[in-house]
Amino acid sequence: MSLTPLAFIGADLLALTVMVGALYVPRHSRKDLVAAYVGVNVGVLAVTTLLSTASVGAGLGLGLFGVLSIIRLPSTELAQHEAAYSFAALALGLLGGIQTASIALTATLMALVVTSLWIGDHPALLRRNRHQ
């Protein structure tokens, strides 16, 4: 394995660590969702890394994601911010695994995802807004 895929994997894991460790845990700290975010991210990263380096067609990759997307796991209802963190974990895994752009562009996009969560989920943002 060359250094290039390792750089993408490292960038993904760094972004995931910042998102979960520095943003989600101090603000919300639901232990069950921490495991979900890490599992989704690393799973998507592994599958997309394998599909991007193997000589399989795009049809197989799309079919695999289609099969995975119809699986519904029983769970409690997620709040909107938890859905945003789930989508961000998925997006970071995809960015790290596809590896078609440069590492600089990929790392910038990962930073954009994490920064937008930092801003959008900041406690000072819309402090006076309440939800009942």
Side-chain angles (χ1 to χ4, degrees), residues 52-129:
S52 70
T53 58
S55 60
V56 296
L60 176 64
L62 291 173
L64 178 63
F65 277 112
V67 167
L68 293 174
S69 69
I70 63 172
I71 297 172
R72 184 187 175 281
L73 301 174
S75 62
T76 59
E77 184 178 325
L78 292 178
Q80 292 301 315
H81 68 275
E82 293 162 345
Y85 279 96
S86 295
F87 182 75
L90 178 70
L92 291 174
L94 285 171
L95 285 169
I98 292 176
Q99 303 173 11
T100 55
S102 69
I103 185 66
L105 176 61
T106 301
T108 302
L109 291 172
M110 287 178 176
L112 180 65
V113 169
V114 174
T115 302
S116 64
L117 272 179
W118 176 72
I119 294 168
D121 191 38
H122 199 279
L125 184 67
L126 301 172
R127 186 178 334 189
R128 297 179 63 174
N129 189 13

